[in-house]
PDB file of all heavy atoms in Angstrom:
ATOM      1  N   ASN A   1     -24.124  10.675 -40.687  1.00  0.00           N
ATOM      2  CA  ASN A   1     -24.666  10.603 -41.959  1.00  0.00           C
ATOM      3  C   ASN A   1     -26.127  10.153 -41.755  1.00  0.00           C
ATOM      4  O   ASN A   1     -26.400   8.962 -41.524  1.00  0.00           O
ATOM      5  CB  ASN A   1     -23.976   9.608 -42.836  1.00  0.00           C
ATOM      6  CG  ASN A   1     -24.436   9.557 -44.276  1.00  0.00           C
ATOM      7  OD1 ASN A   1     -25.605   9.776 -44.466  1.00  0.00           O
ATOM      8  ND2 ASN A   1     -23.549   9.339 -45.156  1.00  0.00           N
ATOM      9  N   TYR A   2     -27.091  11.128 -41.821  1.00  0.00           N
ATOM     10  CA  TYR A   2     -28.442  10.840 -41.534  1.00  0.00           C
ATOM     11  C   TYR A   2     -29.122   9.877 -42.464  1.00  0.00           C
ATOM     12  O   TYR A   2     -29.884   9.033 -42.107  1.00  0.00           O
ATOM     13  CB  TYR A   2     -29.294  12.090 -41.422  1.00  0.00           C
ATOM     14  CG  TYR A   2     -28.847  12.976 -40.287  1.00  0.00           C
ATOM     15  CD1 TYR A   2     -28.065  14.023 -40.470  1.00  0.00           C
ATOM     16  CD2 TYR A   2     -29.341  12.673 -39.003  1.00  0.00           C
ATOM     17  CE1 TYR A   2     -27.656  14.792 -39.266  1.00  0.00           C
ATOM     18  CE2 TYR A   2     -28.980  13.341 -37.869  1.00  0.00           C
ATOM     19  CZ  TYR A   2     -28.156  14.466 -38.114  1.00  0.00           C
ATOM     20  OH  TYR A   2     -27.737  15.161 -36.955  1.00  0.00           O
ATOM     21  N   GLY A   3     -28.816   9.984 -43.746  1.00  0.00           N
ATOM     22  CA  GLY A   3     -29.331   9.130 -44.824  1.00  0.00           C
ATOM     23  C   GLY A   3     -28.968   7.695 -44.595  1.00  0.00           C
ATOM     24  O   GLY A   3     -29.749   6.760 -44.593  1.00  0.00           O
ATOM     25  N   LYS A   4     -27.686   7.473 -44.322  1.00  0.00           N
ATOM     26  CA  LYS A   4     -27.090   6.127 -44.089  1.00  0.00           C
ATOM     27  C   LYS A   4     -27.671   5.494 -42.727  1.00  0.00           C
ATOM     28  O   LYS A   4     -28.131   4.411 -42.758  1.00  0.00           O
ATOM     29  CB  LYS A   4     -25.575   6.192 -43.968  1.00  0.00           C
ATOM     30  CG  LYS A   4     -24.933   4.801 -43.809  1.00  0.00           C
ATOM     31  CD  LYS A   4     -23.450   4.892 -43.895  1.00  0.00           C
ATOM     32  CE  LYS A   4     -22.875   3.513 -43.885  1.00  0.00           C
ATOM     33  NZ  LYS A   4     -21.385   3.597 -43.938  1.00  0.00           N
ATOM     34  N   ALA A   5     -27.800   6.388 -41.759  1.00  0.00           N
ATOM     35  CA  ALA A   5     -28.471   5.941 -40.504  1.00  0.00           C
ATOM     36  C   ALA A   5     -29.926   5.473 -40.719  1.00  0.00           C
ATOM     37  O   ALA A   5     -30.366   4.483 -40.139  1.00  0.00           O
ATOM     38  CB  ALA A   5     -28.392   6.988 -39.419  1.00  0.00           C
ATOM     39  N   ILE A   6     -30.554   6.203 -41.501  1.00  0.00           N
ATOM     40  CA  ILE A   6     -32.073   5.830 -41.759  1.00  0.00           C
ATOM     41  C   ILE A   6     -32.148   4.517 -42.501  1.00  0.00           C
ATOM     42  O   ILE A   6     -32.957   3.571 -42.240  1.00  0.00           O
ATOM     43  CB  ILE A   6     -32.802   6.939 -42.444  1.00  0.00           C
ATOM     44  CG1 ILE A   6     -32.947   8.150 -41.594  1.00  0.00           C
ATOM     45  CG2 ILE A   6     -34.154   6.527 -43.079  1.00  0.00           C
ATOM     46  CD1 ILE A   6     -33.490   9.443 -42.244  1.00  0.00           C
ATOM     47  N   ILE A   7     -31.313   4.382 -43.544  1.00  0.00           N
ATOM     48  CA  ILE A   7     -31.338   3.116 -44.332  1.00  0.00           C
ATOM     49  C   ILE A   7     -30.958   1.956 -43.487  1.00  0.00           C
ATOM     50  O   ILE A   7     -31.491   0.911 -43.583  1.00  0.00           O
ATOM     51  CB  ILE A   7     -30.421   3.260 -45.547  1.00  0.00           C
ATOM     52  CG1 ILE A   7     -30.940   4.351 -46.564  1.00  0.00           C
ATOM     53  CG2 ILE A   7     -30.233   2.003 -46.268  1.00  0.00           C
ATOM     54  CD1 ILE A   7     -30.159   4.671 -47.731  1.00  0.00           C
ATOM     55  N   THR A   8     -29.784   2.013 -42.753  1.00  0.00           N
ATOM     56  CA  THR A   8     -29.262   0.924 -42.032  1.00  0.00           C
ATOM     57  C   THR A   8     -30.205   0.526 -40.818  1.00  0.00           C
ATOM     58  O   THR A   8     -30.186  -0.601 -40.394  1.00  0.00           O
ATOM     59  CB  THR A   8     -27.888   1.164 -41.538  1.00  0.00           C
ATOM     60  OG1 THR A   8     -27.818   2.287 -40.696  1.00  0.00           O
ATOM     61  CG2 THR A   8     -26.889   1.290 -42.605  1.00  0.00           C
ATOM     62  N   GLN A   9     -30.976   1.475 -40.306  1.00  0.00           N
ATOM     63  CA  GLN A   9     -31.894   1.148 -39.160  1.00  0.00           C
ATOM     64  C   GLN A   9     -33.301   0.769 -39.688  1.00  0.00           C
ATOM     65  O   GLN A   9     -34.183   0.397 -38.914  1.00  0.00           O
ATOM     66  CB  GLN A   9     -32.084   2.320 -38.242  1.00  0.00           C
ATOM     67  CG  GLN A   9     -30.793   2.622 -37.532  1.00  0.00           C
ATOM     68  CD  GLN A   9     -30.960   3.867 -36.675  1.00  0.00           C
ATOM     69  OE1 GLN A   9     -32.022   4.308 -36.269  1.00  0.00           O
ATOM     70  NE2 GLN A   9     -29.858   4.544 -36.299  1.00  0.00           N
ATOM     71  N   SER A  10     -33.537   0.699 -40.988  1.00  0.00           N
ATOM     72  CA  SER A  10     -34.755   0.336 -41.540  1.00  0.00           C
ATOM     73  C   SER A  10     -35.021  -1.154 -41.353  1.00  0.00           C
ATOM     74  O   SER A  10     -34.050  -1.895 -41.646  1.00  0.00           O
ATOM     75  CB  SER A  10     -34.853   0.721 -42.987  1.00  0.00           C
ATOM     76  OG  SER A  10     -34.734   2.099 -43.147  1.00  0.00           O
ATOM     77  N   VAL A  11     -36.244  -1.496 -41.219  1.00  0.00           N
ATOM     78  CA  VAL A  11     -36.636  -2.997 -41.102  1.00  0.00           C
ATOM     79  C   VAL A  11     -36.774  -3.504 -42.457  1.00  0.00           C
ATOM     80  O   VAL A  11     -36.339  -4.627 -42.822  1.00  0.00           O
ATOM     81  CB  VAL A  11     -37.877  -3.139 -40.180  1.00  0.00           C
ATOM     82  CG1 VAL A  11     -38.386  -4.578 -40.221  1.00  0.00           C
ATOM     83  CG2 VAL A  11     -37.694  -2.696 -38.829  1.00  0.00           C
ATOM     84  N   GLN A  12     -37.333  -2.740 -43.330  1.00  0.00           N
ATOM     85  CA  GLN A  12     -37.533  -3.195 -44.761  1.00  0.00           C
ATOM     86  C   GLN A  12     -36.937  -2.159 -45.649  1.00  0.00           C
ATOM     87  O   GLN A  12     -37.079  -0.936 -45.375  1.00  0.00           O
ATOM     88  CB  GLN A  12     -39.004  -3.349 -45.076  1.00  0.00           C
ATOM     89  CG  GLN A  12     -39.605  -4.515 -44.288  1.00  0.00           C
ATOM     90  CD  GLN A  12     -41.139  -4.660 -44.596  1.00  0.00           C
ATOM     91  OE1 GLN A  12     -41.798  -3.783 -45.129  1.00  0.00           O
ATOM     92  NE2 GLN A  12     -41.616  -5.810 -44.406  1.00  0.00           N
ATOM     93  N   ARG A  13     -36.467  -2.514 -46.748  1.00  0.00           N
ATOM     94  CA  ARG A  13     -35.930  -1.674 -47.764  1.00  0.00           C
ATOM     95  C   ARG A  13     -36.401  -2.147 -49.133  1.00  0.00           C
ATOM     96  O   ARG A  13     -36.404  -3.403 -49.478  1.00  0.00           O
ATOM     97  CB  ARG A  13     -34.361  -1.707 -47.756  1.00  0.00           C
ATOM     98  CG  ARG A  13     -33.810  -1.238 -46.523  1.00  0.00           C
ATOM     99  CD  ARG A  13     -32.348  -1.424 -46.473  1.00  0.00           C
ATOM    100  NE  ARG A  13     -31.838  -1.318 -45.113  1.00  0.00           N
ATOM    101  CZ  ARG A  13     -31.246  -2.297 -44.554  1.00  0.00           C
ATOM    102  NH1 ARG A  13     -31.051  -3.468 -45.061  1.00  0.00           N
ATOM    103  NH2 ARG A  13     -30.807  -2.159 -43.256  1.00  0.00           N
ATOM    104  N   LEU A  14     -36.740  -1.204 -49.973  1.00  0.00           N
ATOM    105  CA  LEU A  14     -37.193  -1.570 -51.357  1.00  0.00           C
ATOM    106  C   LEU A  14     -36.321  -0.713 -52.283  1.00  0.00           C
ATOM    107  O   LEU A  14     -36.458   0.531 -52.234  1.00  0.00           O
ATOM    108  CB  LEU A  14     -38.711  -1.218 -51.526  1.00  0.00           C
ATOM    109  CG  LEU A  14     -39.276  -1.350 -52.946  1.00  0.00           C
ATOM    110  CD1 LEU A  14     -39.038  -2.824 -53.450  1.00  0.00           C
ATOM    111  CD2 LEU A  14     -40.688  -0.923 -53.005  1.00  0.00           C
ATOM    112  N   TYR A  15     -35.613  -1.305 -53.071  1.00  0.00           N
ATOM    113  CA  TYR A  15     -34.762  -0.611 -54.080  1.00  0.00           C
ATOM    114  C   TYR A  15     -35.363  -0.875 -55.545  1.00  0.00           C
ATOM    115  O   TYR A  15     -35.360  -2.052 -55.926  1.00  0.00           O
ATOM    116  CB  TYR A  15     -33.315  -1.169 -54.075  1.00  0.00           C
ATOM    117  CG  TYR A  15     -32.601  -0.927 -52.718  1.00  0.00           C
ATOM    118  CD1 TYR A  15     -32.238  -1.993 -51.965  1.00  0.00           C
ATOM    119  CD2 TYR A  15     -32.290   0.402 -52.322  1.00  0.00           C
ATOM    120  CE1 TYR A  15     -31.572  -1.841 -50.812  1.00  0.00           C
ATOM    121  CE2 TYR A  15     -31.704   0.569 -51.102  1.00  0.00           C
ATOM    122  CZ  TYR A  15     -31.310  -0.535 -50.322  1.00  0.00           C
ATOM    123  OH  TYR A  15     -30.724  -0.457 -49.159  1.00  0.00           O
ATOM    124  N   LEU A  16     -35.849   0.153 -56.067  1.00  0.00           N
ATOM    125  CA  LEU A  16     -36.527   0.062 -57.415  1.00  0.00           C
ATOM    126  C   LEU A  16     -35.341   0.039 -58.419  1.00  0.00           C
ATOM    127  O   LEU A  16     -34.123   0.312 -57.988  1.00  0.00           O
ATOM    128  CB  LEU A  16     -37.498   1.133 -57.646  1.00  0.00           C
ATOM    129  CG  LEU A  16     -38.696   1.019 -56.702  1.00  0.00           C
ATOM    130  CD1 LEU A  16     -39.585   2.290 -56.924  1.00  0.00           C
ATOM    131  CD2 LEU A  16     -39.431  -0.180 -56.837  1.00  0.00           C
ATOM    132  N   PRO A  17     -35.580  -0.217 -59.724  1.00  0.00           N
ATOM    133  CA  PRO A  17     -34.538  -0.309 -60.705  1.00  0.00           C
ATOM    134  C   PRO A  17     -33.668   0.943 -60.654  1.00  0.00           C
ATOM    135  O   PRO A  17     -34.163   2.130 -60.614  1.00  0.00           O
ATOM    136  CB  PRO A  17     -35.278  -0.466 -61.994  1.00  0.00           C
ATOM    137  CG  PRO A  17     -36.563  -1.103 -61.620  1.00  0.00           C
ATOM    138  CD  PRO A  17     -36.933  -0.516 -60.287  1.00  0.00           C
ATOM    139  N   MET A  18     -32.316   0.723 -60.637  1.00  0.00           N
ATOM    140  CA  MET A  18     -31.385   1.803 -60.643  1.00  0.00           C
ATOM    141  C   MET A  18     -30.419   1.600 -61.800  1.00  0.00           C
ATOM    142  O   MET A  18     -30.221   0.477 -62.279  1.00  0.00           O
ATOM    143  CB  MET A  18     -30.623   1.890 -59.327  1.00  0.00           C
ATOM    144  CG  MET A  18     -31.458   2.246 -58.178  1.00  0.00           C
ATOM    145  SD  MET A  18     -30.328   2.364 -56.718  1.00  0.00           S
ATOM    146  CE  MET A  18     -30.969   0.888 -55.794  1.00  0.00           C
ATOM    147  N   SER A  19     -29.626   2.651 -62.139  1.00  0.00           N
ATOM    148  CA  SER A  19     -28.642   2.461 -63.141  1.00  0.00           C
ATOM    149  C   SER A  19     -27.444   1.748 -62.505  1.00  0.00           C
ATOM    150  O   SER A  19     -27.312   1.637 -61.266  1.00  0.00           O
ATOM    151  CB  SER A  19     -28.171   3.841 -63.607  1.00  0.00           C
ATOM    152  OG  SER A  19     -27.528   4.594 -62.577  1.00  0.00           O
ATOM    153  N   GLU A  20     -26.523   1.242 -63.403  1.00  0.00           N
ATOM    154  CA  GLU A  20     -25.356   0.570 -62.974  1.00  0.00           C
ATOM    155  C   GLU A  20     -24.453   1.359 -61.912  1.00  0.00           C
ATOM    156  O   GLU A  20     -23.974   0.932 -60.959  1.00  0.00           O
ATOM    157  CB  GLU A  20     -24.582   0.037 -64.082  1.00  0.00           C
ATOM    158  CG  GLU A  20     -25.194  -1.076 -64.860  1.00  0.00           C
ATOM    159  CD  GLU A  20     -25.313  -2.387 -64.053  1.00  0.00           C
ATOM    160  OE1 GLU A  20     -24.373  -2.672 -63.217  1.00  0.00           O
ATOM    161  OE2 GLU A  20     -26.289  -3.120 -64.247  1.00  0.00           O
ATOM    162  N   GLU A  21     -24.394   2.710 -62.298  1.00  0.00           N
ATOM    163  CA  GLU A  21     -23.614   3.660 -61.571  1.00  0.00           C
ATOM    164  C   GLU A  21     -24.249   3.767 -60.103  1.00  0.00           C
ATOM    165  O   GLU A  21     -23.476   3.795 -59.193  1.00  0.00           O
ATOM    166  CB  GLU A  21     -23.637   5.001 -62.241  1.00  0.00           C
ATOM    167  CG  GLU A  21     -22.694   5.970 -61.532  1.00  0.00           C
ATOM    168  CD  GLU A  21     -22.691   7.242 -62.324  1.00  0.00           C
ATOM    169  OE1 GLU A  21     -22.386   7.318 -63.518  1.00  0.00           O
ATOM    170  OE2 GLU A  21     -23.022   8.360 -61.705  1.00  0.00           O
ATOM    171  N   GLU A  22     -25.566   3.915 -59.987  1.00  0.00           N
ATOM    172  CA  GLU A  22     -26.210   4.027 -58.623  1.00  0.00           C
ATOM    173  C   GLU A  22     -26.046   2.725 -57.890  1.00  0.00           C
ATOM    174  O   GLU A  22     -25.813   2.833 -56.663  1.00  0.00           O
ATOM    175  CB  GLU A  22     -27.718   4.378 -58.877  1.00  0.00           C
ATOM    176  CG  GLU A  22     -27.943   5.691 -59.340  1.00  0.00           C
ATOM    177  CD  GLU A  22     -29.432   5.954 -59.686  1.00  0.00           C
ATOM    178  OE1 GLU A  22     -30.047   5.078 -60.261  1.00  0.00           O
ATOM    179  OE2 GLU A  22     -29.862   7.067 -59.309  1.00  0.00           O
ATOM    180  N   LEU A  23     -26.149   1.557 -58.514  1.00  0.00           N
ATOM    181  CA  LEU A  23     -25.957   0.358 -57.811  1.00  0.00           C
ATOM    182  C   LEU A  23     -24.505   0.199 -57.231  1.00  0.00           C
ATOM    183  O   LEU A  23     -24.263  -0.255 -56.091  1.00  0.00           O
ATOM    184  CB  LEU A  23     -26.212  -0.895 -58.695  1.00  0.00           C
ATOM    185  CG  LEU A  23     -27.688  -1.148 -58.991  1.00  0.00           C
ATOM    186  CD1 LEU A  23     -27.802  -2.259 -60.069  1.00  0.00           C
ATOM    187  CD2 LEU A  23     -28.436  -1.564 -57.709  1.00  0.00           C
ATOM    188  N   LYS A  24     -23.567   0.545 -57.991  1.00  0.00           N
ATOM    189  CA  LYS A  24     -22.171   0.573 -57.572  1.00  0.00           C
ATOM    190  C   LYS A  24     -21.976   1.476 -56.355  1.00  0.00           C
ATOM    191  O   LYS A  24     -21.256   1.136 -55.392  1.00  0.00           O
ATOM    192  CB  LYS A  24     -21.217   0.862 -58.716  1.00  0.00           C
ATOM    193  CG  LYS A  24     -19.758   0.730 -58.489  1.00  0.00           C
ATOM    194  CD  LYS A  24     -18.942   0.988 -59.667  1.00  0.00           C
ATOM    195  CE  LYS A  24     -17.487   0.726 -59.328  1.00  0.00           C
ATOM    196  NZ  LYS A  24     -16.616   0.847 -60.405  1.00  0.00           N
ATOM    197  N   PHE A  25     -22.498   2.692 -56.447  1.00  0.00           N
ATOM    198  CA  PHE A  25     -22.342   3.682 -55.422  1.00  0.00           C
ATOM    199  C   PHE A  25     -22.993   3.028 -54.151  1.00  0.00           C
ATOM    200  O   PHE A  25     -22.427   3.232 -53.009  1.00  0.00           O
ATOM    201  CB  PHE A  25     -23.053   4.991 -55.834  1.00  0.00           C
ATOM    202  CG  PHE A  25     -23.072   6.024 -54.643  1.00  0.00           C
ATOM    203  CD1 PHE A  25     -21.902   6.705 -54.309  1.00  0.00           C
ATOM    204  CD2 PHE A  25     -24.140   6.169 -53.871  1.00  0.00           C
ATOM    205  CE1 PHE A  25     -21.893   7.642 -53.358  1.00  0.00           C
ATOM    206  CE2 PHE A  25     -24.175   7.036 -52.882  1.00  0.00           C
ATOM    207  CZ  PHE A  25     -23.117   7.749 -52.576  1.00  0.00           C
ATOM    208  N   LEU A  26     -24.171   2.501 -54.213  1.00  0.00           N
ATOM    209  CA  LEU A  26     -24.865   1.921 -53.097  1.00  0.00           C
ATOM    210  C   LEU A  26     -24.097   0.788 -52.424  1.00  0.00           C
ATOM    211  O   LEU A  26     -23.875   0.649 -51.256  1.00  0.00           O
ATOM    212  CB  LEU A  26     -26.286   1.457 -53.515  1.00  0.00           C
ATOM    213  CG  LEU A  26     -27.216   1.068 -52.399  1.00  0.00           C
ATOM    214  CD1 LEU A  26     -27.425   2.142 -51.423  1.00  0.00           C
ATOM    215  CD2 LEU A  26     -28.547   0.502 -52.947  1.00  0.00           C
TER     216      LEU A  26
END
């Protein structure tokens, strides 16, 4: 899963406002 690998290997992450559904999925 390339997207998950990129996110988990990131040093910094910035999550801008998301809907409740997107937060739950994440």
Side-chain angles (χ1 to χ4, degrees):
N1 183 328
Y2 292 100
K4 186 174 183 178
I6 290 171
I7 290 174
T8 56
Q9 292 179 22
S10 297
V11 174
Q12 295 180 337
R13 300 175 195 114
L14 173 63
Y15 300 111
L16 298 176
M18 291 185 254
S19 68
E20 291 292 326
E21 183 179 305
E22 289 174 319
L23 284 172
K24 186 175 181 178
F25 174 80
L26 187 60

